[in-house]
Amino acid sequence: MKTNQKRYRKRNTIAFTVLAYFTLFAGVFMFSIGLYNADNLELNEKGYYIAVMLLVAVGAILTQKVTRDNAEDNEIIAEQEQERQMNSVRVPANSKES
């Protein structure tokens, strides 16, 4: 008997995960450069800081989501692998009896 189980696919690709981490680190890096060079803040510099703070916030949220999703996906895949191994052990035992 062949079991008809669908294989679970990860939600995030490697490129998406790398982009999430890159966004977070790029935002922190740019913000640090801005703070290092800040003597007198003009209006255009304030806009720069606001844009960088938004980038860091989005990067942090995205990184948290990617990390959580990847951990959940790994758990689901491990559970399915255990079920698949248990089913493969049971099938030969049942086929010998019949």
Side-chain angles (χ1 to χ4, degrees):
M1 252 177 142
K2 196 174 190 180
T3 58
N4 192 10
Q5 292 180 344
K6 288 186 178 181
R7 195 169 173 159
Y8 189 78
R9 197 182 73 166
K10 287 192 171 193
R11 290 176 268 190
N12 300 320
T13 62
I14 293 173
F16 187 76
T17 304
V18 169
L19 186 63
Y21 283 107
F22 174 77
T23 304
L24 176 65
F25 294 128
V28 169
F29 180 70
M30 290 184 346
F31 193 74
S32 299
I33 288 174
L35 284 177
Y36 179 76
N37 293 328
D39 292 332
N40 298 326
L41 291 178
E42 296 178 10
L43 187 58
N44 61 344
E45 292 174 328
K46 289 180 185 179
Y48 169 77
Y49 281 114
I50 291 170
V52 170
M53 283 189 285
L54 288 174
L55 180 66
V56 171
V58 169
I61 292 168
L62 186 62
T63 304
Q64 179 184 6
K65 179 207 172 295
V66 165
T67 304
R68 183 196 68 220
D69 287 350
N70 287 347
E72 287 176 359
D73 290 346
N74 289 339
E75 289 173 7
I76 291 171
I77 290 171
E79 288 174 6
Q80 285 184 345
E81 196 61 37
Q82 281 181 336
E83 289 176 9
R84 192 170 287 128
Q85 287 176 356
M86 289 174 52
N87 289 337
S88 67
V89 169
R90 287 186 210 161
V91 171
N94 290 339
S95 63
K96 288 180 182 179
E97 293 175 6
S98 44

